[in-house]
Amino acid sequence: MSQEVCMPREPWDIAFMAEPAEVAALRRTMRLHLEGWGLHHVVGEAQLCVSELVSNVITHVGPGTPATLAVSMKGAHLRIEVHDPDTRALPTLRDATTDAEEGRGMALVDAVADRWGVLLRPDQKVTWCELTTQPTTTDNQVEDAGVIRAGGLLRHYAAAAQPQPQRRVGASRLTSTVAEETVIAAITDFLHWFRAHGRDADDMLDRAQMRFEAEHAALHRGE
């Protein structure tokens, strides 16, 4: 039996300027550290949380804000913190069915993290979330992390899929970039979920493709 060698899981932090271009670099840094720690199964959700917490600073505090990403282990949980100097701009969690774009990033964090919150200090705000690194089922058997993420996303998607008023066209560059990677990760997690529930993942992809093509054709026919 092979045994994976992991580097010590010592807390680490990195200072950065809250700019859209920094998001990809922070995601890579997170992936490298988690792979070194042997936590490959939480890389996707940890990267999503980093993207959304940093995006929250850019959107609500402002581009160019000096900030810090701090990561540590708290028992069986991975703790991710983003520190910024604005104690007034607090993150909000909007219902998935609202038309407002603000707060949707935190809804994604809420969907994949075990818990999250905000700490206010005299000179800074700390927005944090924690992810379990030892997911278990009710039978105390390890469950694939993608299945857990998909279950949380399914609940939010079911609410967001309700008919909505026409949204404003034109997402920000940051939102578009993060959204693309998030969608790919979500599709992957849904395939994990289908397989975990005894469904054929390839069949689900084929059915989704057929539905997409039918809806696309209907849209162009003006139905």
Side-chain angles (χ1 to χ4, degrees), residues 37-112:
W37 286 359
L39 299 177
H40 303 76
H41 58 290
V42 296
V43 168
E45 55 193 351
Q47 288 183 318
L48 185 149
C49 289
V50 167
S51 295
E52 298 306 332
L53 294 180
V54 174
S55 299
N56 191 72
V57 176
I58 297 171
T59 301
H60 298 288
V61 182
T65 299
T68 301
L69 170 66
V71 180
S72 61
M73 292 299 299
K74 186 178 180 182
H77 286 82
L78 175 73
R79 185 178 177 92
I80 302 170
E81 300 178 353
V82 171
H83 304 216
D84 72 75
D86 194 331
T87 59
R88 298 167 299 171
L90 301 180
T92 58
L93 177 63
R94 297 287 182 89
D95 185 89
T97 60
T98 63
D99 191 48
E101 293 296 330
E102 292 81 4
R104 288 184 175 273
M106 296 312 299
L108 284 173
V109 173
D110 186 66
V112 302

Side-chain angles (χ1 to χ4, degrees), residues 54-221:
V54 174
S55 299
N56 191 72
V57 176
I58 297 171
T59 301
H60 298 288
V61 182
T65 299
T68 301
L69 170 66
V71 180
S72 61
M73 292 299 299
K74 186 178 180 182
H77 286 82
L78 175 73
R79 185 178 177 92
I80 302 170
E81 300 178 353
V82 171
H83 304 216
D84 72 75
D86 194 331
T87 59
R88 298 167 299 171
L90 301 180
T92 58
L93 177 63
R94 297 287 182 89
D95 185 89
T97 60
T98 63
D99 191 48
E101 293 296 330
E102 292 81 4
R104 288 184 175 273
M106 296 312 299
L108 284 173
V109 173
D110 186 66
V112 302
D114 282 5
R115 48 186 174 261
W116 68 275
V118 182
L119 295 174
L120 294 179
R121 295 173 178 168
D123 59 346
Q124 65 177 201
K125 171 175 82 260
V126 179
T127 308
W128 60 270
C129 66
E130 292 182 355
L131 307 170
T132 182
T133 61
Q134 297 179 347
T136 57
T137 65
T138 54
D139 298 325
N140 292 322
Q141 296 180 341
V142 174
E143 181 174 300
D144 187 270
V147 178
I148 294 175
R149 290 195 296 269
L153 289 170
L154 276 169
R155 292 192 295 273
H156 284 268
Y157 179 81
Q162 300 299 318
Q164 296 292 312
Q166 184 67 37
R167 299 187 184 282
R168 293 184 302 273
V169 176
S172 68
R173 172 186 167 191
L174 175 65
T175 301
S176 298
T177 301
V178 173
E180 181 177 317
E181 294 189 27
T182 301
V183 168
I184 293 172
I187 292 172
T188 303
D189 288 341
F190 285 136
L191 293 177
H192 282 298
W193 187 90
F194 281 127
R195 182 161 294 173
H197 289 81
R199 306 296 180 85
D200 184 272
D202 290 333
D203 180 57
M204 295 299 105
L205 278 176
D206 290 341
R207 290 170 59 185
Q209 181 69 24
M210 291 173 60
R211 178 176 295 186
F212 167 76
E213 291 174 355
E215 292 179 355
H216 182 70
L219 180 64
H220 281 272
R221 289 196 304 267

